[in-house]
Amino acid sequence: MQIDMAAEAARLDVLRQLNLLDTPPSESFDRITRMAAQVFGLPVAAVSLTDHDRQWFKSRVGIDHWSIPRETAPCAEVALTRQTLVLPDLLEDECYATSVLAGQGVRFYAGAPLITSDGHGLGALCVLGTEPREVTEAEMAALSDLAAMVMSQIELQHAFGRIDAASGLPNRVQLREDLDDLARDDAGAERLMVLIDLARAEQLNSGLRVLGPSYVDTMVEHAARLIRGAVPAGTRVYHVSATQFALLAPAGADPHACLAAIHRHLAAGNSRHERHLAASISIGAAPFAIGEGAAADILRGAYGAALDARARKLPFAVYSAAEDDAHQRRYRLLHDFETALTRPGQLRLAVQPRIDVASGRCVGGEALLRWRHPTLGDVSPAEFIPIVEHSALAATLTRWVIETAATHLATWQRAGLALKLSVNIFAANLDEPDFADLVQSSLKRHHVAAGSLELELTESAAIADTDRSMAQLAILAEAGIGIAIDDFGTGYSSLAYLQSLPADTVKIDQSFVRGIEDNQRAAALVASMVALSRGLGYRVVAEGVETAQAMTLLKAIGCDEAQGYLLARPMDVDAFEAWVAADDQESVAA
Ligand code: C2E
Ligand code: CA
Ligand code: CA
């Protein structure tokens, strides 16, 4: 029989889209098959789908096997002609006398085509007998009706909440169900979840803005075709979110080889559009064992790997539990920090004394945020500060710190202690339109003199200047609030540039100070940093002073203030107040 190759390719594509091949038996089909057998009074009937090389039985009664070769199968003829076919005696038929069925003792065949609503023949609903037989018109009409019922069932299943309308592919719901099905038969088997992410978020946004919503539809349509063509036979493709596809690679697949193969196939897309699309695709894979872990978690792992691949400009990446744990922890800390900001008891300020080098007296301290998480215990600022810094909580954190610092300053002021307190702020804070107002009103509310608060901002924060942040800094400085450049020397700014900022203090980063006692060049560098800064009118603070020799050197160099473990570690406010009181006594005694 002549086959039109293009029509056959389209027919097979439709069959694949329906995702019926190799799915488990289902009662909704078996019911119809049994009825067909009953109508003809015959023991054997089947819903038989015509795949490229086989007839695969979605439902069967009276047959043990799942498929027969497509060649010489009468159902294949029914699928292609989309006509009913009756073979009263196979042995008398010139085409089928030597067929596989005839070889198995089948003499009678009747089949009605399974035709989709858009006209593709998928296969046949057939009945078989071991004796030659004639059919009546009523029997054949019933067989055609039952075939139509099979098709309704197929199309209904295809549509109902399991199939994505844009791509025609099964969705996440179906993926979850398939994983559950697999868990029943194949628990513990190692598989690979592959996630194909079509585009970066910003790429999607600009596409949507320029081309409208059809942009995503077209992209998904092309991608679905490209991906179906790229995956090996027997692999199901799922459309798991608007612009993401997933597939379950067969057991034992080597993740890297499997991803490389998919990537190679995608890159070989034949239209220009497809090649363009393939270039923006990122692929991630998560190995997992069937029955362990929820589908959503497995997908999340694979998606994380796809994001990693994008970030590292690789075509694909495989999930790493260590990286995932780190991500999870970051996510959790950010989430929990929001709670910490609103509930009392988790956050507090520690204070590390700042010492005037010449007199050796404490002039104030730096407020350093401390977080005791209810279950994780103490979390280091080195861990949570960078996470919060790049979130919307940066504003709330600084508000909390300033408000708390103002409370402490008010207490000290009432106790007659002339101490300054400096707090760390983020670059982003200066971009909040009401930041200067907020700081000032907090001080006013607590009746604290502006001069007793200092804001530390890092060199890089000071560089990220906008008109708004410059204006805010100017207002704050004008009000008498101290401004210090923190971690000085770690950024790339020149002193000439920093001079344009309304700062009055420079804090030399610990990395320059630590070890100056053993290294002449390091000492010379700090000496010139101090000389230069003082020459420009800044008060200079050395951070990270850990040894007495370093302290002696700093004194000789002419540094104004020192801060470091040698002098005191950061401590709780009560301890700081006691420390200051003891320090005063010592000075008095001295
Ligand atoms: P930073 O502003 O440079 O603060 C100084 C850090 O160095 C503190 O670490 C302090 O405990 C530590 N340190 C002080 N003296 C020594 C020393 O002699 N040797 C060594 N090795 N370290 C010393 P901490 O408290 O862990 O804070 C780390 C960073 O977290 C701070 O660096 C600051 O950038 C940030 N941070 C802490 N609290 C806040 C806050 O309330 N707001 C903001 N925006 N950032 C904060
Ligand atoms: Ca600081
Ligand atoms: Ca610092």
Side-chain angles (χ1 to χ4, degrees):
M1 196 168 140
Q2 262 322 96
I3 296 184
D4 170 347
M5 292 313 285
E8 175 62 4
R11 189 190 74 76
L12 282 172
D13 191 43
V14 169
L15 182 61
R16 299 256 146 77
Q17 271 190 47
L18 289 169
N19 297 294
L20 281 164
L21 292 172
D22 302 305
T23 53
S26 111
E27 178 58 21
S28 49
F29 290 99
D30 292 350
R31 204 179 285 139
I32 304 175
T33 314
R34 282 198 301 272
M35 213 182 261
Q38 228 165 41
V39 167
F40 282 80
L42 289 171
V44 182
V47 170
S48 169
L49 302 171
T50 308
D51 197 1
H52 78 287
D53 59 352
R54 59 179 179 159
Q55 287 297 139
W56 182 79
F57 305 132
K58 170 64 197 167
S59 164
R60 68 236 206 280
V61 285
I63 322 174
D64 292 331
H65 43 271
W66 282 106
S67 66
I68 58 167
R70 172 171 173 174
E71 218 184 319
T72 75
C75 287
E77 181 180 336
V78 175
L80 292 194
T81 58
R82 287 167 287 159
Q83 307 282 333
T84 53
L85 174 67
V86 180
L87 304 168
D89 185 352
L90 266 71
L91 294 183
E92 297 293 308
D93 189 284
E94 57 177 284
C95 291
Y96 295 105
T98 57
S99 65
V100 173
L101 286 184
Q104 292 168 346
V106 173
R107 297 291 292 275
F108 166 79
Y109 172 94
L114 302 171
I115 307 172
T116 62
S117 49
D118 45 5
H120 293 285
L122 301 181
L125 172 64
C126 64
V127 287
L128 311 175
T130 50
E131 302 292 332
R133 184 188 191 282
E134 297 298 328
V135 294
T136 66
E137 222 172 278
E139 282 170 337
M140 286 313 286
L143 192 65
S144 292
D145 279 349
L146 291 172
M149 279 168 69
V150 169
M151 276 320 298
S152 311
Q153 189 60 40
I154 289 175
E155 290 186 332
L156 196 72
Q157 265 195 7
H158 185 63
F160 194 71
R162 289 183 170 78
I163 299 297
D164 186 278
S167 62
L169 288 170
N171 59 14
R172 232 172 20 228
V173 176
Q174 184 70 56
L175 173 61
R176 202 176 50 225
E177 281 189 10
D178 287 356
L179 285 175
D180 290 348
D181 283 349
L182 278 171
R184 270 191 292 279
D185 301 346
D186 221 1
E190 298 285 334
R191 297 293 282 270
L192 191 65
M193 177 75 77
V194 177
L195 188 121
I196 303 178
D197 186 36
L198 296 188
R200 290 175 185 282
E202 65 272 16
Q203 203 176 334
L204 279 180
N205 289 340
S206 60
L208 279 169
R209 170 178 279 186
V210 177
L211 300 168
S214 68
Y215 166 73
V216 171
D217 295 351
T218 315
M219 174 159 71
V220 161
E221 209 175 282
H222 280 273
R225 189 150 3 99
L226 195 63
I227 293 167
R228 268 200 301 272
V231 302
T235 303
R236 296 193 85 188
V237 181
Y238 301 84
H239 190 169
V240 290
S241 82
T243 54
Q244 291 176 344
F245 296 86
L247 43 103
L248 273 177
D254 162 37
H256 287 94
C258 171
L259 296 188
I262 293 171
H263 189 259
R264 227 180 8 257
H265 276 95
L266 290 178
N270 34 40
S271 73
R272 198 168 56 85
H273 190 106
E274 283 174 351
R275 279 195 300 276
H276 178 70
L277 180 62
S280 61
I281 278 174
S282 165
I283 313 174
F288 70 102
I290 299 282
E292 286 168 23
D297 286 336
I298 301 166
L299 275 176
R300 199 182 47 72
Y303 178 51
L307 285 180
D308 283 349
R310 259 199 211 295
R312 291 195 239 137
K313 302 204 181 345
L314 296 172
F316 53 80
V318 177
Y319 165 87
S320 133
E323 265 170 54
D324 191 52
D325 286 349
H327 266 112
Q328 295 263 33
R329 179 165 165 106
R330 279 201 287 280
Y331 181 81
R332 172 168 186 201
L333 289 181
L334 184 60
H335 177 267
D336 293 354
F337 192 78
E338 188 164 15
T339 316
L341 278 165
T342 53
R343 299 220 184 118
Q346 294 191 35
L347 296 178
R348 66 186 195 283
L349 287 182
V351 180
Q352 184 177 33
R354 272 167 61 169
I355 308 298
D356 179 77
V357 174
S359 67
R361 296 199 59 168
C362 173
V363 288
E366 174 175 3
L368 294 160
L369 188 56
R370 295 293 177 259
W371 178 19
R372 183 157 296 165
H373 186 285
T375 53
L376 300 174
D378 288 329
V379 184
S380 158
E383 183 177 16
F384 73 82
I385 290 281
I387 300 171
V388 174
E389 173 161 18
H390 300 290
S391 79
L393 295 180
T396 334
L397 178 148
T398 299
R399 273 160 212 230
W400 189 94
V401 170
I402 287 179
E403 184 63 19
T404 310
T407 335
H408 295 318
L409 279 169
T411 314
W412 299 342
Q413 216 167 269
R414 279 196 300 273
L417 292 169
L419 291 170
K420 280 179 87 161
L421 188 57
S422 52
V423 301
N424 295 281
I425 64 167
F426 299 120
N429 295 140
L430 290 174
D431 236 6
E432 298 160 25
D434 57 347
F435 184 68
D437 279 352
L438 199 119
V439 176
Q440 285 177 284
S441 61
S442 184
L443 293 180
K444 271 202 198 100
R445 211 166 341 104
H446 294 279
H447 308 288
V448 171
S452 50
L453 181 73
E454 182 180 75
L455 302 177
E456 294 189 10
L457 68 157
T458 58
E459 208 185 327
S460 44
I463 298 171
D465 64 316
T466 59
D467 289 349
R468 187 192 285 157
S469 35
M470 283 303 136
Q472 303 253 16
L473 264 186
I475 297 171
L476 291 162
E478 185 67 24
I481 293 164
I483 310 286
I485 310 288
D486 199 3
D487 301 347
F488 179 68
T490 57
Y492 297 97
S493 53
S494 65
L495 265 181
Y497 168 77
L498 290 179
Q499 234 207 323
S500 65
L501 299 174
D504 45 60
T505 301
V506 161
K507 297 186 80 178
I508 298 178
D509 191 66
Q510 334 188 342
S511 58
F512 295 94
V513 177
R514 229 171 303 132
I516 47 169
E517 60 274 30
D518 306 322
N519 184 330
Q520 281 200 341
R521 289 175 66 89
L525 185 60
V526 171
S528 59
M529 284 166 104
V530 170
L532 211 61
S533 307
R534 285 187 50 127
L536 289 166
Y538 292 111
R539 187 173 174 75
V540 185
V541 184
E543 293 191 307
V545 181
E546 292 183 352
T547 64
Q549 297 97 305
M551 191 63 185
T552 311
L553 261 173
L554 288 166
K555 200 167 180 174
I557 285 168
C559 187
D560 297 293
E561 274 180 39
Q563 184 183 343
Y565 291 172
L566 169 73
L567 307 157
R569 295 208 170 225
M571 46 194 137
D572 281 347
V573 172
D574 296 346
F576 174 73
E577 287 163 359
W579 188 89
V580 170
D583 186 54
D584 276 351
Q585 298 248 299
E586 260 175 52
S587 312
V588 171

